[in-house]
Amino acid sequence: MQTVADLVPLSVRDLYDVRGTGQGTVEDALTALVSAAILRSGELGEWEDTRDDRQPPGGVPEVQLPPAQLQLLEDLTQLATWRHVRRRGDDPLLKVVVEDGAPEEIQEVALRLNSLTAADMASVNGRSDPVLEFTAFLSELDERQVRILRDRFLGRPPKKLAELASEFDVSRERVRQIETKLKDLLGSTFHFGTGIGNLLASLRTEIQPIAALDRLITLHPDLARDVPGVNVPLWLVLDRLDEYFEVTDGWAAAPDVAAAREQTRILLEDFATDHGVVDLAAVTAATSVPKTELLAWLSWCGYVLHNNQILTRTRSLNDHAAGLLAATGEPLHIDELQLQMGRDNSIRSLANQLADDERFVRTDRATWGLASWQLEEYTSIRQQIGLELAAAGGEVEIGQLIESITNRFDVSSSSVQAYAGNGDYEIVRGLVRRRESPATPRKAPSATRRLFKFDDDWWKFRVTITRDHLRGSGFPVPSGVASLVGCAQGGVVELESDLGTQSIRWTGLQPSSGTIKRFLDRLEVREGQNVFLEFGPYSRFDVSLQGPVNPEDHPLEQAAALTGCAEGVGNPEDAQMALAIAVDLPVDAKPRRILSAYRQRGDDDIAGLLEQEWTRPRHQWVDQSPADRAGSRAAENAAASTARGRAGESDLEVGPDEHDNEVDASDEMIDAGSAGLHDDQVSSDIGWVSVPAGYRSVGWIRPHEAEAAVLAYQLHSDVPMHDGDKIAGWARYVDDNSGDASKFRANVMLARARSQGERIVCWIREHEAFSIIQAAAEERSVPVLGPDDVATGLVQYFQAGSEAAERYRSTTRLLRELNGQAA
């Protein structure tokens, strides 16, 4: 059909039946017909055939293309215009495929058609400027319409209807009517074919469902231009004009950011594994978003990327750990797992969570993997020893046991040896076997620090509350507490309380208590406060809050308050009796004996208060020679001269006992005043091996003692110091909230065993213990480097067999810098 007359007999339905027509084509045809009828009304009585059959001059007939060819040219022109809008003017418009055996002329035709680009069909120079278009549109509006458009549509934030109504002195409904009219006008003005309409169409194509605003501006630089009259960038104008998308925080999302995030979640769930892990490459291939932009969007949405895998389930601690392990593909050490997760939780709480989740298995002492990997599961060193003994017929040589377990699991030889000589097992003449009788607790209740007796059969254990307590975690308790409640190594004891059962278990190297959170909640205890765990007859248990200690009270009354015996203590005499009872001494025990008991237990806070009352100040000793001090001691306390060799008795006076014959030259003597200083709890090497300038001696620490200290730091519990087959002492661990840890800036105290009790060697820090082990292994002196790789001391190495090594029975001596600096 080439003339209007050809259309006259057709109905609208007939037009739709024509191949290639659609809604737009039919509407355009009808609009043209109506317009022509209006313009030509009265000029023509009826439609005339405007077809001109006359031939042009020269007798050559005018070439008239068929409608299909005309439509093809129009379609190619439209497509070329669109490619220009999309900044793809050099891309081919067509893709023609011909048979391999087609004539050469046909193949050349296909080549020419495939080479046809938008630049060949339409010029980019003729496109309209979207900013000028919008400026022209503004010029046709009245002042009120411009203000509503600027303040209501484009305002950041938009003004409310009530504000504009007040400014214009009209009703809100009137403002709404103007707003609606503007919306209709904008929609009809900037249709496809206009500069703004084309730009909007291009943006809709790019935002699927998101696109970075920076990328859109790079594709269409006009978006960053400010629009005169409204003083906002063009991208904001288009954002407010088009309801297809919105721009938030640098992201253009369709129809909005919330919907785009939901589409992303659904897409990732389609690719997710059982542990919520999605391969990044698969998602990148399934979307049209560039990879770098996709990564930024996923991060903005809160997803975690690890090892080119997307973790979609990280809300809970367990889900996050499972996803991270699945993305890694191999077991991870608990420290590395926590570091990679980057969450605010302790390693202990993470390990507890994993242990309670059947998705995880422990593949080594501190390494975790997924149960679905079907790896060999690590139980505990204790159980591994049991399996080795069963396989060996009940006995195995200690060296063979250590080699077998350390070769299969990442555990130290000192750990295996510690478990082999404790609990259910014992070492006899180098052979490990099951213990025939239960092991004796390391400490009696009366010798246990912070454990006090009151009211005949009741005992109180003082605990400083930490965040872990408040969160419901279990915590270690001394062996004296286990002994008090009848809990043997390897066993569990259930105690009764008003709030339910309370468990004390000794299934590891150190006894532990179950959570006391319910008691703390009832008492409304805060972090940092002290409470007493109360143990009574008939397996009774309770928790009480320690009352405040009045610094104005008598030192003995303050000390009694620290034992939980403040009630009923009205004078120093009552306090002294209460202090004696608290450590299971007779009520008429002498001050010297009471002070000795507290110092030997390690209750330095209480001992310090007692020393204020019962000992002379340290300055009365410092100017005296060793002989003078010994003479003064004998003169003042001749009755106690026979007790100097007893553990703790030599430290009751302020100065060190230079004549303690039962202490070998390697022991570090501690005077009464040194316990109150940070680093003065060390021995003097006067008269023996000189100390380099700028340093002071901490002590001659033996390598096996340093190994026990490292293990104590790792296990957060007391560890025996094995010297061959015998236990030569203990590395005693205290937590960070302990007063000793704060005072000595260390968590581990080394104590050597003696026939009449333990002798404190020193408080040692973890990095110092590592340096001692390194010096012994490399047979050289090494610097002690702190956590920030700053030198804090020196480990001196003395060759085995040398005079110094023989005298002190150690090849290594630990030195600390004076005031943090060596000369």
Side-chain angles (χ1 to χ4, degrees), residues 396-716:
V396 63
E397 197 272 331
I398 181 63
Q400 179 182 344
L401 176 69
I402 292 174
E403 182 179 4
S404 175
I405 295 178
T406 55
N407 285 345
R408 292 163 50 217
F409 301 104
D410 183 22
V411 296
S412 66
S413 57
S414 57
S415 298
V416 178
Q417 183 165 339
Y419 278 95
N422 284 275
D424 297 334
Y425 312 109
E426 61 180 356
I427 303 175
V428 179
R429 294 185 296 276
L431 294 176
V432 181
R433 66 186 186 188
R434 287 194 175 273
R435 191 181 299 274
E436 296 179 358
S437 59
T440 303
R442 297 194 293 261
K443 276 191 177 182
S446 59
T448 300
R449 187 168 65 96
R450 293 180 294 163
L451 182 60
F452 311 103
K453 185 178 182 181
F454 73 105
D455 290 345
D456 295 332
D457 295 328
W458 279 88
W459 292 75
K460 289 185 177 183
F461 177 61
R462 193 174 76 242
V463 175
T464 301
I465 297 305
T466 67
R467 184 172 59 173
D468 287 340
H469 292 120
L470 296 174
R471 289 193 305 194
S473 300
F475 54 95
V477 295
S479 60
V481 171
S483 174
L484 178 66
V485 300
C487 182
Q489 284 188 309
V492 178
V493 170
E494 301 288 346
L495 306 177
E496 298 299 325
S497 76
D498 295 339
L499 299 182
T501 302
Q502 180 70 24
S503 63
I504 301 293
R505 60 183 66 245
W506 198 346
T507 54
L509 284 178
Q510 179 80 4
S512 63
S513 167
T515 177
I516 57 172
K517 182 178 184 303
R518 59 195 186 281
F519 298 95
L520 303 181
D521 291 342
R522 180 179 66 176
L523 297 172
E524 298 181 352
V525 179
R526 300 185 303 274
E527 183 177 355
Q529 289 185 297
N530 287 336
V531 301
F532 288 102
L533 309 187
E534 300 184 358
F535 304 93
Y538 308 108
S539 300
R540 292 295 300 173
F541 176 83
D542 202 356
V543 177
S544 61
L545 182 64
Q546 177 189 313
V549 178
N550 187 355
E552 302 297 328
D553 288 345
H554 190 279
L556 297 184
E557 296 177 16
Q558 294 182 49
L562 292 176
T563 68
C565 300
E567 295 183 5
V569 176
N571 53 63
E573 291 74 17
D574 292 340
Q576 180 174 331
M577 289 190 293
L579 288 166
I581 294 172
V583 290
D584 207 19
L585 292 176
V587 294
D588 58 350
K590 299 299 182 182
R592 177 184 181 85
R593 189 176 180 188
I594 297 173
L595 177 55
S596 175
Y598 280 100
R599 292 202 60 198
Q600 187 170 353
R601 286 160 51 101
D603 286 313
D604 294 332
D605 49 354
I606 298 177
L609 291 168
L610 302 185
E611 287 168 358
Q612 293 180 29
E613 183 67 16
W614 292 339
T615 66
R616 287 191 299 159
R618 187 174 188 269
H619 65 79
Q620 297 182 18
W621 288 88
V622 295
D623 297 328
Q624 297 181 11
S625 67
D628 292 339
R629 286 198 291 266
S632 298
R633 183 194 305 275
E636 291 184 1
N637 204 354
S641 61
T642 57
R644 284 179 183 159
R646 294 198 302 271
E649 294 292 311
S650 63
D651 294 330
L652 285 177
E653 300 296 343
V654 186
D657 188 350
E658 302 287 348
H659 307 286
D660 187 351
N661 295 324
E662 288 200 23
V663 180
D664 63 65
S666 66
D667 281 331
E668 285 65 47
M669 311 293 291
I670 305 174
D671 64 39
S674 69
L677 300 176
H678 284 301
D679 294 309
D680 289 344
Q681 74 278 18
V682 300
S683 69
S684 171
D685 293 312
I686 297 174
W688 298 101
V689 180
S690 62
V691 177
Y695 293 96
R696 56 186 175 77
S697 174
V698 175
W700 294 79
I701 314 298
R702 298 155 191 167
H704 68 269
E705 295 172 336
E707 291 178 358
V710 170
L711 185 58
Y713 273 104
Q714 294 174 347
L715 297 179
H716 289 196

Side-chain angles (χ1 to χ4, degrees), residues 190-480:
F190 300 118
H191 53 78
F192 181 70
T194 64
I196 289 181
N198 292 346
L199 196 52
L200 284 172
S202 179
L203 293 179
R204 293 168 185 162
T205 304
E206 288 292 333
I207 305 172
Q208 297 293 334
I210 56 97
L213 182 59
D214 291 342
R215 177 165 63 88
L216 297 180
I217 291 176
T218 301
L219 181 63
H220 300 292
D222 287 337
L223 293 174
R225 295 167 57 191
D226 282 341
V227 179
V230 290
N231 298 322
V232 295
L234 181 61
W235 66 261
L236 180 60
V237 173
L238 301 184
D239 174 22
R240 300 296 173 82
L241 289 183
D242 195 350
E243 296 181 353
Y244 177 81
F245 68 94
E246 72 168 13
V247 178
T248 301
D249 197 18
W251 294 101
D256 53 42
V257 167
R261 292 182 68 166
E262 179 62 16
Q263 292 183 52
T264 303
R265 185 192 66 79
I266 295 174
L267 174 65
L268 294 179
E269 284 296 326
D270 290 342
F271 288 92
T273 65
D274 292 340
H275 297 295
V277 178
V278 177
D279 183 32
L280 177 62
V283 176
T284 303
T287 63
S288 59
V289 181
K291 182 177 179 179
T292 55
E293 190 172 310
L294 176 62
L295 290 175
W297 167 250
L298 292 173
S299 176
W300 190 86
C301 292
Y303 292 104
V304 177
L305 184 71
H306 180 77
N307 199 25
N308 284 326
Q309 303 287 311
I310 307 166
L311 310 186
T312 64
R313 303 171 194 167
T314 58
R315 181 169 299 180
S316 73
L317 188 67
N318 289 21
D319 287 344
H320 193 171
L324 190 62
L325 287 171
T328 303
E330 61 183 9
L332 288 176
H333 191 279
I334 190 82
D335 293 341
E336 179 66 18
L337 186 60
Q338 186 204 36
L339 178 64
Q340 293 290 345
M341 292 172 66
R343 299 172 71 106
D344 183 21
N345 60 272
S346 67
I347 292 179
R348 180 176 296 178
S349 66
L350 175 59
N352 290 339
Q353 293 269 30
L354 300 183
D356 292 337
D357 194 323
E358 61 183 10
R359 291 177 291 178
F360 305 95
V361 294
R362 193 161 59 150
T363 60
D364 214 324
R365 184 175 61 87
T367 303
W368 292 83
L370 294 174
S372 57
W373 293 341
Q374 298 182 347
L375 300 175
E376 179 183 3
E377 183 176 358
Y378 172 87
T379 50
S380 67
I381 296 178
R382 187 185 304 278
Q383 290 175 307
Q384 293 298 327
I385 293 174
L387 294 175
E388 293 284 341
L389 290 178
E395 287 187 346
V396 63
E397 197 272 331
I398 181 63
Q400 179 182 344
L401 176 69
I402 292 174
E403 182 179 4
S404 175
I405 295 178
T406 55
N407 285 345
R408 292 163 50 217
F409 301 104
D410 183 22
V411 296
S412 66
S413 57
S414 57
S415 298
V416 178
Q417 183 165 339
Y419 278 95
N422 284 275
D424 297 334
Y425 312 109
E426 61 180 356
I427 303 175
V428 179
R429 294 185 296 276
L431 294 176
V432 181
R433 66 186 186 188
R434 287 194 175 273
R435 191 181 299 274
E436 296 179 358
S437 59
T440 303
R442 297 194 293 261
K443 276 191 177 182
S446 59
T448 300
R449 187 168 65 96
R450 293 180 294 163
L451 182 60
F452 311 103
K453 185 178 182 181
F454 73 105
D455 290 345
D456 295 332
D457 295 328
W458 279 88
W459 292 75
K460 289 185 177 183
F461 177 61
R462 193 174 76 242
V463 175
T464 301
I465 297 305
T466 67
R467 184 172 59 173
D468 287 340
H469 292 120
L470 296 174
R471 289 193 305 194
S473 300
F475 54 95
V477 295
S479 60

Side-chain angles (χ1 to χ4, degrees), residues 21-38:
T21 61
Q23 179 79 14
T25 304
V26 174
E27 289 183 354
D28 289 345
L30 295 180
T31 301
L33 288 173
V34 173
S35 299
I38 295 173

Side-chain angles (χ1 to χ4, degrees), residues 775-809:
E778 299 178 3
E779 297 185 352
R780 65 182 181 89
S781 298
V782 299
V784 177
L785 300 180
D788 298 326
D789 289 335
V790 176
T792 62
L794 175 70
V795 176
Q796 289 182 305
Y797 179 77
F798 298 85
Q799 288 294 334
S802 65
E803 180 181 357
E806 290 295 322
R807 178 181 299 129
Y808 292 102
R809 292 191 291 173

